[in-house]
Amino acid sequence: AVVSTQSTGELPKWGEIARAFKDQFATKTQSEWVDVFSKLDACVTPVLTFDEAAAHPHNKDRGMFMEVPEGTAEPSPSPKLSATPANPDLKIPKLGQHTMEILGSLGYNGETVEQLVTDQVINVSK
């Protein structure tokens, strides 16, 4: 049985166990570990960057990412439902595209908004 210490709540020898894992994983590249675990019945997957995840064969096969008009990858809507598939609106606004409209609807006058732009408090794009 695993017993925790009263004072710290940590598992005994946790630091030693963590170092042993770190040292062992440092003996191979990520690609080599993926190969090792692919031959086992183990739930292990590499930690990927966003771009690596978008390009990963599993995610590509499952359609987990979609390309938006700006040419970047974005996560696809989930879960994927066959009877009611998501139809994402790919018209993503630019940063600051609606700032003037929103601030106007909130009662800000043009002079105040221009000062916020000058002071670089807000971003406005066309």
Side-chain angles (χ1 to χ4, degrees):
V2 177
V3 180
S4 68
T5 60
Q6 292 295 324
S7 61
T8 63
E10 292 183 18
L11 297 175
K13 299 186 181 181
W14 176 247
E16 292 175 38
I17 295 168
R19 272 190 300 283
F21 274 105
K22 182 179 177 183
D23 292 345
Q24 186 62 43
F25 279 111
T27 65
K28 296 182 184 338
T29 66
Q30 182 187 68
S31 178
E32 291 170 325
W33 282 114
V34 167
D35 186 52
V36 167
F37 283 106
S38 71
K39 298 175 180 115
L40 303 174
D41 184 16
C43 185
V44 178
T45 188
V47 176
L48 304 173
T49 66
F50 187 87
D51 290 337
E52 289 170 334
H56 192 278
H58 174 79
N59 293 332
K60 289 183 88 125
D61 288 346
R62 305 231 349 121
M64 299 306 295
F65 289 83
M66 60 186 176
E67 191 171 314
V68 296
E70 290 77 20
T72 59
E74 292 289 333
S76 295
S78 292
K80 298 201 177 298
L81 306 173
S82 58
T84 56
N87 187 10
D89 180 2
L90 298 179
K91 298 177 196 128
I92 300 169
K94 292 182 176 30
L95 180 64
Q97 181 176 338
H98 299 109
T99 301
M100 300 295 283
E101 178 184 338
I102 293 168
L103 291 177
S105 73
L106 294 172
Y108 287 85
N109 64 35
E111 186 177 313
T112 302
V113 172
E114 287 305 320
Q115 189 60 52
L116 292 171
V117 171
T118 301
D119 294 344
Q120 297 181 339
V121 174
I122 60 173
N123 184 16
V124 177
S125 69
K126 307 268 188 270

